[in-house]
């Protein structure tokens, strides 16, 4: 594609979807390379994490780190919780990200940023657009039963995707040319066009071992019996069912100018070892969807 500067300013909405959120990196890279100027980001869950890191100017640092994650690194990021409200505390991953990215206040970021979280007790959507960036991110990624709720501003906050997987509303008053939403909960595709990197991953014994490790966290293929269904199967399927339904309602209520859709079977919720593949899918989907936009 012609990379002549388009001069189009963008409000970017980054949806939730677990490891599929790594697609956002590829979308952002494609937009920047093709001359789109991102002036505003609203994100939910993994979208809040990727969007927030981009807003600090350190997305390249995070990208190199996540591409290099190995099995032992993943294990070290999981700090087991000894409470009854979650499997993991979620403090260790935030500590690692803070060391990598640095502390930032949202209001001091060079672009507008909003993370969406859910108030557990008030049962309502919360927009986090000021204060410490990593408090906003930690609240937005607090997947129920996986990570403990985040205590912030006198509230118990949990994952933003519970109420708003694709948070378009925070961008409605933006003075930008177009609003682009990235939906990670599209209809499954029987045949996914995957980049060549997938063949490299499959042929690499190290990645094969990681894949075997992750397999235990993934939903089973076909029709598993009650005894085959694991805790992670139930959590994953429940979250994806809920997010798909709410996403359809959100996209019907708020119509962004462009929707980049990624099928929900592109990867499973916990396949973070597939960073390179997901990033390339982001490039591809942005190219397919936006090919003619910067010529208009």
């Amino acid at each position: 594609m012609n990379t002549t500067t388009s001069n189009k300013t963008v409000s970017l909405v980054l949806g939730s979807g677990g490891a599929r959120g790594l697609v956002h990196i590829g979308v952002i890279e494609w937009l920047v390379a093709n001359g789109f100027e991102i002036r505003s980001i609203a994100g939910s869950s993994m979208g809040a994490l990727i969007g927030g890191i981009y807003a600090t100017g350190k997305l390249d640092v995070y990208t190199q780190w996540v591409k290099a994650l190995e099995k032992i690194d993943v294990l070290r990021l999981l700090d087991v919780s000894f409470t009854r409200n979650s499997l993991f505390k979620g403090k260790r991953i935030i500590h690692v990200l803070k060391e990598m990215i640095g502390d930032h206040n949202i209001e001091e970021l060079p672009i507008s940023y909003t993370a969406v979280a859910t108030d557990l007790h008030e049962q309502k959507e919360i927009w986090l657009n000021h204060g410490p960036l990593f408090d906003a991110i930690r609240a937005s990624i607090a997947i129920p039963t996986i990570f403990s709720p985040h205590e912030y501003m006198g509230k118990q906050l949990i994952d933003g995707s519970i109420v708003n997987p694709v948070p378009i509303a925070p961008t409605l008053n933006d003075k930008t040319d177009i609003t682009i939403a990235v939906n990670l909960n599209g209809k499954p595709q029987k045949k996914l066009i995957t980049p060549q990197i997938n063949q490299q991953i499959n042929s690499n014994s190290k990645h094969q071992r990681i894949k075997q490790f992750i397999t235990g966290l993934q939903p089973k293929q076909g029709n598993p019996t009650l005894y085959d269904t694991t805790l992670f199967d139930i959590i994953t399927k429940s979250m994806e069912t809920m997010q798909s339904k709410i996403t359809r309602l959100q996209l019907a209520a708020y119509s962004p100018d462009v929707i980049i859709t990624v099928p929900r079977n592109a990867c499973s919720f916990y396949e973070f070892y597939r960073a390179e593949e997901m990033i390339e899918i982001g490039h591809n989907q942005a190219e397919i969807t936006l090919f003619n936009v910067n010529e208009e």
Side-chain angles (χ1 to χ4, degrees):
M1 181 172 181
N2 189 338
T3 57
T4 302
T5 301
S6 68
N7 295 320
K8 285 188 180 293
T9 57
V10 175
S11 295
L12 185 60
V13 180
L14 302 178
S16 61
R20 288 192 301 281
L22 296 168
V23 164
H24 295 321
I25 298 173
V27 171
I28 290 171
E29 289 178 348
W30 189 93
L31 289 172
V32 172
N34 285 276
F36 291 87
E37 181 185 350
I38 300 170
R39 289 191 179 175
S40 171
I41 289 180
S44 185
S45 198
M46 193 64 179
L49 189 151
I50 298 296
I53 292 175
Y54 171 74
T56 69
K58 297 288 186 69
L59 185 61
D60 56 337
V61 176
Y62 173 80
T63 300
Q64 293 304 311
W65 174 78
V66 77
K67 282 182 176 180
L69 278 181
E70 297 185 3
K71 175 180 175 181
I72 190 64
D73 301 316
V74 174
L75 290 172
R76 285 172 178 163
L77 292 172
L78 300 177
D79 45 356
V80 176
S81 173
F82 294 100
T83 64
R84 293 180 296 175
N85 63 15
S86 65
L87 295 174
F88 307 108
K89 292 182 284 188
K91 292 181 178 180
R92 189 170 297 162
I93 178 59
I94 294 299
H95 175 73
V96 169
L97 291 174
K98 277 186 179 181
E99 285 195 331
M100 184 190 316
I101 306 302
D103 272 322
H104 299 268
N105 284 326
I106 295 173
E107 56 269 30
E108 296 170 356
L109 296 173
I111 64 176
S112 174
Y113 170 81
T114 301
V116 172
T118 304
D119 186 321
L120 180 61
H121 298 293
E122 295 293 328
Q123 299 181 349
K124 65 181 183 181
E125 182 175 334
I126 301 292
W127 294 0
L128 301 170
N129 50 25
H130 65 277
L133 173 64
F134 280 103
D135 274 311
I137 290 173
R138 174 62 181 83
S140 193
I141 66 170
I143 303 169
T145 72
I146 303 298
F147 292 124
S148 60
H150 186 54
E151 303 267 353
Y152 184 54
M153 301 188 303
K155 304 176 185 296
Q156 277 198 319
L157 301 179
I158 59 174
D159 198 297
S161 68
I162 300 299
V163 290
N164 199 344
V166 186
I168 300 166
T171 69
L172 292 180
N173 293 324
D174 289 349
K175 308 260 185 231
T176 53
D177 295 323
I178 57 173
T179 299
I180 299 172
V182 185
N183 170 24
L184 303 179
N185 294 290
K187 291 181 180 180
Q189 293 182 6
K190 290 183 179 179
K191 293 184 179 180
L192 288 174
I193 301 174
T194 55
Q196 292 300 312
I197 188 67
N198 191 39
Q199 296 178 6
Q200 297 173 11
I201 290 175
N202 288 338
S203 64
N204 187 303
S205 61
K206 177 176 65 178
H207 286 289
Q208 285 283 41
R209 292 196 299 271
I210 297 174
K211 185 174 181 179
Q212 291 168 5
F213 164 72
I214 296 293
T215 296
L217 304 181
Q218 297 176 23
K220 302 292 186 297
Q221 300 297 316
N223 297 302
T225 67
L226 175 63
Y227 298 104
D228 291 331
T229 304
T230 69
L231 171 64
F232 285 99
D233 294 340
I234 296 170
I235 293 172
T236 299
K237 285 298 184 184
S238 297
M239 289 287 291
E240 290 187 342
T241 300
M242 177 187 66
Q243 288 181 24
S244 295
K245 179 68 172 179
I246 299 174
T247 295
R248 288 195 294 272
L249 295 174
Q250 287 291 326
L251 293 177
Y254 305 101
S255 298
D257 299 293
V258 177
I259 303 173
I260 298 173
T261 301
V262 176
R264 60 180 177 270
N265 64 333
C267 80
S268 295
F269 208 78
Y270 302 98
E271 290 186 298
F272 286 93
Y273 74 98
R274 293 173 64 181
E276 290 194 55
E277 185 181 347
M278 291 301 102
I279 292 168
E280 190 61 28
I281 287 174
H283 290 160
N284 293 346
Q285 292 302 107
E287 174 81 21
I288 292 167
T289 308
L290 288 158
F291 185 81
N292 294 316
V293 169
N294 69 346
E295 303 297 333
E296 295 175 359

